[in-house]
Amino acid sequence: MNLIKQIEEITDKCISCGFCESVCPTLEPDGYNSVFGARGRVILADFALKESSEGLELGNSFYSCLDCYACVNVCPAGVNAGVVSELMRELVASGNRGTKNPVAEMIKTSIMEYGNPLGLKEESAEWADGIKFDDSSTMLITGQMYQMMPYTRKINKVRKYIDENLTINIASAMIRHISLIKFSRHFYNKQFRDKMNGDLKNIVSMLQKSGVKFNYLGAEEPYPGMFLHELGYAKEFKEYAETVYNLLKEKGVKRIIAIDPHTYDIFKNVYPEVVKGFKIPVVYYTDLLDLEYRKFNGNITVQEPCHIVLHNNNFKAMDILNSVAEIKLPERSGKSTMCCGGPDELLFPDTAKKVSMKRYKDLKAKSDNVITICPLCYNNLAYDENVMDFSEFMGKLMVKK
Ligand code: SF4
Ligand code: SF4
């Protein structure tokens, strides 16, 4: 079915009730402008396809959707405004409607050229210097997510002082001279980089102490292509994902251990649909842990990652956390969890910040100790030192074997 028909088939089911607006995290930060909320996105898509897209803010509306899928859980008609946004981005990215986003174009160009959204492939392997891995067909795929966070954090700090037009001009220049993106390697916060590298080492240590045998590809590790998929570059993503699959086959990979929800979701749900013959099973690292832990002295609250609790089902991390501390969940938890705003960080940093601050306050109202299970969530919610990544928190409680 062609893209326009696919979108219309979804938008035609909408009865315009507005239930989805109550859970959509991007509506409030954007001043309740309806095109930045779930219902508005569905109506806008419908109008742009059936009437006219002239003068409409298509790009910003659909690119700012976080793909959290909170909307479909409350929609009486089963409409997924997240999927509508994904398909509309595909339409925009293919040049069929609206205007392409220069920052998105820059990221796409960098991934296709360097295998990393910010040209940081080699830097992404440095954390593992000196770690001994096993000769195994089970491969740890970091997705380069923990590694990129210190850079996106610093870049956004700099962007605060840069006019939006200048950002667009810089992105446009980088599209023409993509090697300039390699300068990103100078923009990071050392303390934060050490912290994220420490989390990666904790994950490896917990897996190894659980008796899991696995290998790591180092600087050869492929970025799985999440941004290409999420930003609507369907053709490029297919081409890119096929090269990733060929590399994994060449390296004899028979099982993937993912350590962030985005990498887990893309290998579990997207690759099998897009890449012919892809059948490599993927497991989330927390599901492999088999350790003893001390009890934590206090209660905790948890930011459950949307890409696991809303897009997938199984998740052992909550059971582990439950075994060491009393969990006080925020009102929006489980299937109605709220996104941290992370996916908007590169394209819409202001929106990301407002969404994350709201979520941070919700979590802090339940407990001072906030546990995240995703590097994006951690990066966006770490407003104080009592916000901890699962790997840091459990690493401290692990009883040494
Ligand atoms: S909840 Fe569903 S039917 Fe109601 S406005 Fe949102 S998308 Fe449309
Ligand atoms: S997927 Fe999330 S951000 Fe996107 S429209 Fe639905 S609730 Fe809003």
Side-chain angles (χ1 to χ4, degrees):
M1 198 190 316
N2 81 31
L3 202 50
I4 293 177
K5 277 219 157 49
Q6 261 185 72
I7 302 168
E8 283 177 352
E9 203 160 86
I10 306 174
T11 57
D12 281 349
K13 289 194 282 183
C14 176
I15 51 170
S16 221
C17 64
F19 288 166
C20 53
E21 287 194 333
S22 65
V23 296
C24 179
T26 54
L27 184 62
E28 187 187 337
D30 281 303
Y32 292 99
N33 180 348
S34 63
V35 296
F36 292 100
R39 173 167 62 175
R41 290 184 176 111
V42 175
I43 293 171
L44 183 65
D46 196 55
F47 187 85
L49 297 186
K50 292 183 182 152
E51 308 290 331
S52 158
S53 59
E54 220 164 281
L56 297 178
E57 225 183 320
L58 291 188
N60 287 346
S61 170
F62 300 113
Y63 282 116
S64 63
C65 165
L66 296 158
D67 293 341
C68 64
Y69 292 2
C71 44
V72 70
N73 280 307
V74 296
C75 175
V79 174
N80 189 333
V83 169
V84 170
S85 300
E86 282 163 32
L87 296 172
M88 284 302 289
R89 287 196 294 261
E90 197 175 323
L91 214 55
V92 174
S94 63
N96 244 303
R97 290 284 193 292
T99 315
K100 293 183 186 182
N101 182 302
V103 179
E105 285 283 302
M106 177 192 76
I107 292 170
K108 173 201 75 175
T109 311
S110 177
I111 296 171
M112 298 308 280
E113 184 68 25
Y114 297 121
N116 180 281
L118 298 171
L120 296 167
K121 196 154 183 233
E122 290 75 25
E123 289 77 2
S124 296
E126 287 169 1
W127 67 275
D129 285 350
I131 298 180
K132 205 172 165 345
F133 293 93
D134 302 291
D135 182 13
S136 168
S137 59
T138 294
M139 199 60 70
L140 177 82
I141 304 275
T142 69
Q144 302 165 16
M145 298 296 274
Y146 277 88
Q147 299 94 313
M148 270 190 286
M149 296 302 108
Y151 297 88
T152 58
R153 187 171 256 236
K154 186 74 171 190
I155 288 167
N156 279 342
K157 257 199 176 148
V158 175
R159 271 176 76 176
K160 263 199 248 157
Y161 304 101
I162 296 179
D163 168 66
E164 189 52 30
N165 286 334
L166 184 56
T167 302
I168 289 170
N169 288 341
I170 293 171
S172 305
M174 286 197 184
I175 296 164
R176 291 192 302 275
H177 308 284
I178 196 59
S179 63
L180 290 172
I181 206 157
K182 290 271 183 183
F183 281 106
S184 313
R185 71 175 186 271
H186 300 297
F187 290 89
Y188 68 91
N189 174 310
K190 180 167 182 328
Q191 203 185 350
F192 197 65
R193 189 172 188 242
D194 290 347
K195 156 54 187 145
M196 296 313 258
N197 286 351
D199 287 349
L200 287 163
K201 288 175 187 167
N202 277 338
I203 291 169
V204 167
S205 170
M206 286 198 286
L207 285 168
Q208 290 181 335
K209 287 193 167 92
S210 297
V212 183
K213 301 276 180 234
F214 60 97
N215 208 344
Y216 172 58
L217 289 168
E220 283 189 274
E221 180 190 80
Y223 167 72
M226 283 78 82
F227 266 125
L228 288 178
H229 173 63
E230 287 161 12
L231 295 174
Y233 294 104
K235 190 165 94 14
E236 291 85 351
F237 173 69
K238 185 172 169 30
E239 182 191 316
Y240 181 85
E242 277 163 1
T243 64
V244 171
Y245 182 40
N246 286 337
L247 176 77
L248 296 179
K249 275 195 294 189
E250 186 193 308
K251 298 289 176 187
V253 177
K254 297 274 187 300
R255 182 169 75 147
I256 291 168
I257 301 177
I259 63 171
D260 77 273
H262 297 260
T263 296
Y264 175 75
D265 189 38
I266 206 163
F267 280 130
K268 188 168 167 44
N269 298 317
V270 185
Y271 269 62
E273 284 203 356
V274 172
V275 181
K276 198 166 171 241
F278 185 91
K279 284 194 190 114
I280 305 178
V282 53
V283 60
Y284 203 63
Y285 82 96
T286 55
D287 288 352
L288 296 173
L289 299 181
D290 181 16
L291 293 162
E292 285 172 29
Y293 309 99
R294 282 183 292 109
K295 292 270 184 211
F296 177 67
N297 186 17
N299 57 39
I300 58 171
T301 189
V302 184
Q303 169 64 3
E304 298 161 276
C306 339
H307 277 256
I308 291 201
V309 295
L310 296 175
H311 294 201
N312 298 283
N313 285 317
N314 55 338
F315 197 43
K316 198 176 143 192
M318 291 301 281
D319 297 337
I320 298 174
L321 290 170
N322 213 4
S323 72
V324 298
E326 183 194 354
I327 302 178
K328 290 179 169 281
L329 288 174
E331 198 181 319
R332 287 190 61 179
S333 59
K335 284 284 177 200
S336 56
T337 190
M338 182 180 158
C339 180
C340 67
D344 270 359
E345 235 217 324
L346 277 174
L347 266 62
F348 301 94
D350 290 345
T351 304
K353 172 107 182 154
K354 285 179 194 158
V355 174
S356 70
M357 187 46 87
K358 183 176 186 321
R359 186 56 171 167
Y360 171 76
K361 286 180 182 159
D362 289 349
L363 291 159
K364 280 281 167 175
K366 290 294 170 183
S367 172
D368 197 31
N369 305 300
V370 177
I371 312 302
T372 60
I373 320 174
C374 163
L376 251 85
C377 294
Y378 176 77
N379 185 36
N380 275 276
L381 296 168
Y383 289 107
D384 72 66
E385 61 191 21
N386 287 332
V387 178
M388 284 169 275
D389 185 72
F390 179 92
S391 58
E392 179 190 353
F393 182 66
M394 295 313 301
K396 282 181 186 158
L397 296 176
M398 176 172 65
V399 176
K400 306 273 181 282
K401 278 190 178 172

